[in-house]
Amino acid sequence: MNEITVQANRRRTFAIISHPDAGKTTLTEKLLLYGGAIHLAGSVKARKAQKHAVSDWMEIEKQRGISVTSSVLQFDYQDFRVNILDTPGHQDFSEDTYRTLMAADSAVMLIDVAKGVEEQTKKLFRVCKERGIPIFTFVNKLDRFGRNPFELMEEIEKVLGIRAYPMNWPVGVDGNYRGIYNRQLAQVELFDKDGSHGQRALASTLGSVNDPAFREVLGETVYQALCDDIALLDMAGDQFELAKVAKGELTPMFFGSAMTNFGVQPFLEEFLRLAPPPAPRQSSEGPVGSASGFFSAFVFKIQANMNPAHRDRITFIRICSGKFERGMNVYHVQSGKQVRLSQPQQFLAQERNIVEDAYPGDIIGLFDPGLFGIGDTLCQPGQPVRFQDFPVFSPEHFARVQAKDTMKRKQFVKGMVQLAQEGAVQVFRQPEVVESFVVGAVGTLQFEVLQYRLKQEYGVDILMHPLPFGVARWLQGDGLNPKALKSMDNGLVLEDTKGRPLVLITTEWQLNWVKERNPGVEFLVTPPSLA
Ligand code: G4P
């Protein structure tokens, strides 16, 4: 194996998906604690008046206590190099979340033991399922009373349609848990109660379930309950098959408490062992992965003004093949230009580090002069591959926006263009209308984010009028001519930022009516490819 394959194989790049408050921030912090990236958990959080993720940057997140951007945290654990992608945890599903998951090789689904599978978890799960990435489940908050683990297994299977295989099982009765049982090793691990609320790694005692000493410590009731549960699992449960996990058909399930650290380390170790290394990605030249002998990467996120003091724009790329070296020249496929990557960045909370080299599975941030777009391909000159485009979501909410103060028009247009490139919202123009844009979003929170960011980052107050449309369709076909566009009068005909025509319509029902009147026009849910 060459150096690149060895390095790629030790990478684990994943995202944690969960409903707000399930404990994603806490678990992320604990993984950093066990990875040695921070030394005292709670320190990051405690410094902040409001609750938000370690990796949050933006002011809006602090104010609202939500995470609206995604970023990556990296640390080493044993032989592994771990990359955690932070997915936005807010209620509105945004494309940003989807894009982040495009850069992940697996996902950890975090579930609150008392609440089970919640709304946002379902949505994010569906995206992971569509991508076919392995999903691992961590049932959190075992330190307090919750639902019966069998019931949760059943709920996962029923609601999400994936079989669950408990890798470990809580030891205790009626929600009073003291440890976990490792099914593979038939080993019990009992965790100390250290009263520090998990600031430091937690001590534990490990032993065989058959050891009389453990039986005595557990007490007869707990011991019997554990034996009964295990017997039931072994008898009625699925077999563990890694191939099924890889295909997203079976989710390995773990139990623990991110707050007290109970079960965090066993989860981390087992997860890293079972989670896949960077997977090849489809391109114009077939799959490209760590074994391909050249550098390639794709853009999955762009964020302007991450640091208000610098006003810079950062493009996040995920490396697919080859070795990245600082200062290297790469070919940007979409523009046909060569770019020198001189100041690649990696991020931990507020800190930035210059990256000297990176391998498949790694994420790096590049300063971007406005060249890159979401889904773009970067590759070694002379090796032109082009990765598949990212899917674009059909927006369902629309509003017309304009600058309150016409003198700020220049700043307004700049902000709209940049935020459109970032994919914060989709921006459309109505032909012949210059003073306003129409924006489309998958969730209405994106509008609030737009309004806030235009004010904070560009100094522009906007007027925003919701539009009564619920359906967008891109138009193409032989029958597309000015007369046809005119006939769509009760819709709103617009152009996207790449000049492709689309129409906004109130309802699906009305869409059918418009379709019938325009037999030569195709109505596409997402924009036609420009390639
Ligand atoms: P999120 O990022 O998924 O939104 O959740 P976050 O980690 O911020 O956790 C949400 C709340 O759940 C926090 O309580 C956190 O302390 C608590 N929590 C996380 N993991 C556990 C756990 O294993 N057990 C218990 N009992 N609680 C847990 P909070 O009161 O909202 O905030 P804080 O004051 O504790 O920071």
Side-chain angles (χ1 to χ4, degrees), residues 130 143 157 215 240 270 285 311 330 458 492 497 530:
E130 249 170 59
D143 58 292
E157 294 179 356
R215 190 167 172 165
F240 182 76
E270 201 61 11
E285 312 299 307
R311 297 236 149 243
V330 297
Y458 302 91
L492 180 62
T497 47
L530 289 173

Side-chain angles (χ1 to χ4, degrees), residues 70-193:
S70 338
S71 52
V72 65
L73 299 170
Q74 189 179 66
F75 63 89
D76 284 332
Y77 187 83
Q78 295 171 348
D79 280 342
F80 296 101
R81 164 90 23 122
V82 183
N83 293 309
I84 309 180
L85 293 155
D86 183 25
T87 48
H90 57 75
Q91 296 281 351
D92 264 11
F93 173 76
S94 81
E95 291 176 73
D96 204 24
T97 314
Y98 188 92
R99 295 185 197 123
T100 297
L101 289 169
M102 293 287 282
D105 295 307
S106 61
V108 171
M109 176 168 75
L110 190 64
I111 289 177
D112 182 326
V113 67
K115 296 189 177 152
V117 178
E118 296 177 85
E119 265 326 294
Q120 184 76 355
T121 318
K122 278 191 227 166
K123 287 187 194 170
L124 292 163
F125 174 85
R126 275 201 293 272
V127 178
C128 295
K129 184 96 184 149
E130 249 170 59
R131 279 215 52 217
I133 56 174
I135 300 158
F136 295 75
T137 302
F138 185 86
V139 178
N140 191 27
K141 308 199 183 182
L142 262 271
D143 58 292
R144 63 183 193 199
F145 186 76
R147 303 206 349 227
N148 179 292
F150 283 109
E151 208 184 292
L152 287 173
M153 266 176 82
E154 210 179 295
E155 183 169 291
I156 289 173
E157 294 179 356
K158 250 205 199 118
V159 177
L160 303 177
I162 187 172
R163 306 289 294 176
Y165 182 93
M167 303 300 291
N168 57 31
W169 196 252
V171 178
V173 284
D174 293 336
N176 181 14
Y177 298 121
R178 297 160 59 188
I180 49 171
Y181 169 76
N182 179 325
R183 291 179 68 195
Q184 197 196 2
L185 303 175
Q187 223 175 34
V188 175
E189 184 167 5
L190 297 181
F191 295 98
D192 290 359
K193 285 202 164 72

Side-chain angles (χ1 to χ4, degrees), residues 18-27 45 51 110 140-144 256-260:
S18 64
H19 194 81
D21 271 350
K24 184 159 67 82
T25 312
T26 314
L27 182 66
K45 245 175 126 169
K51 172 166 69 80
L110 190 64
N140 191 27
K141 308 199 183 182
L142 262 271
D143 58 292
R144 63 183 193 199
S257 158
M259 189 178 83
T260 63

